[in-house]
Amino acid sequence: MSCILVLIRHAQPAERQPGQRDFERGLTTSGKAQAKRLGEKLSMLSGKPQTIIASTAFRAHETAELVSHEVGVPVNSDSRLYQAHETVYAEIINNLTTASVAIVGHNPTISAVAAWLLDDPSVELHVGHAVVMEMSKWHFYPGAGRLVEYISAE
């Protein structure tokens, strides 16, 4: 069984307001449009995500909800994804059970995880972008993924 992993960097966040924690920042109007377009593009994949796992930071969760609306799948929150180390992604990926999953997270970690799995240090996810990869099984190691598509919400 091959597995599809979609790593998504949250869409364009709003600037932090005085007294506001980074965790509480939402999306800008253009960020919301980015997330919707990203969801539209992901809904056309043959291996579209069956579930979405998202950081509980507002901008990531908002991105996941907007993508979810377009793809028609549930969102599961995981507070470990906010300011996560790569080992958190490894634990999540190694314990996946569905054939196709999207994870919505933050830089620099989500880009580092994509680069690690694709064994390509040049991989960098910009806001509102996703990388789709195929894996032979849910196992986190360098080169475990094969690039299927890099998706821009633009």
Side-chain angles (χ1 to χ4, degrees):
M1 166 183 112
S2 83
C3 309
I4 299 294
L5 177 64
V6 181
L7 296 176
I8 302 170
R9 182 171 174 200
H10 62 76
Q12 183 65 50
E15 293 293 322
R16 188 186 309 184
Q17 299 301 309
Q20 182 183 41
R21 297 179 314 154
D22 179 65
F23 184 87
E24 298 168 332
R25 290 189 304 147
L27 299 177
T28 62
T29 301
S30 63
K32 291 175 185 177
Q34 274 182 330
K36 184 179 183 321
R37 282 191 305 273
L38 191 58
E40 290 168 352
K41 291 179 179 185
L42 289 173
S43 72
M44 294 185 276
L45 288 176
S46 61
K48 76 177 184 177
Q50 295 168 316
T51 190
I52 299 171
I53 303 169
S55 162
T56 51
F58 192 70
R59 63 190 176 275
H61 200 268
E62 191 174 15
T63 298
E65 288 292 338
L66 291 164
V67 168
S68 167
H69 180 75
E70 298 300 320
V71 178
V73 299
V75 174
N76 297 297
S77 299
D78 193 322
S79 61
R80 298 175 300 165
L81 289 170
Y82 180 67
Q83 297 184 336
H85 186 271
E86 288 90 343
T87 56
V88 170
Y89 283 82
E91 183 178 332
I92 290 169
I93 290 167
N94 287 339
N95 289 295
L96 293 173
T97 57
T98 57
S100 182
V101 176
I103 300 176
V104 182
H106 311 268
N107 259 358
T109 310
I110 198 144
S111 287
V113 167
W116 174 265
L117 289 171
L118 293 170
D119 200 20
D120 181 353
S122 70
V123 173
E124 183 178 347
L125 288 170
H126 300 284
V127 291
H129 291 195
V131 64
V132 180
M133 64 184 77
E134 183 177 32
M135 301 172 71
S136 62
K137 59 183 177 177
W138 291 126
H139 191 64
F140 188 88
Y141 63 89
R146 181 187 64 78
L147 180 66
V148 172
E149 188 174 357
Y150 186 85
I151 300 175
S152 167
E154 303 309 317

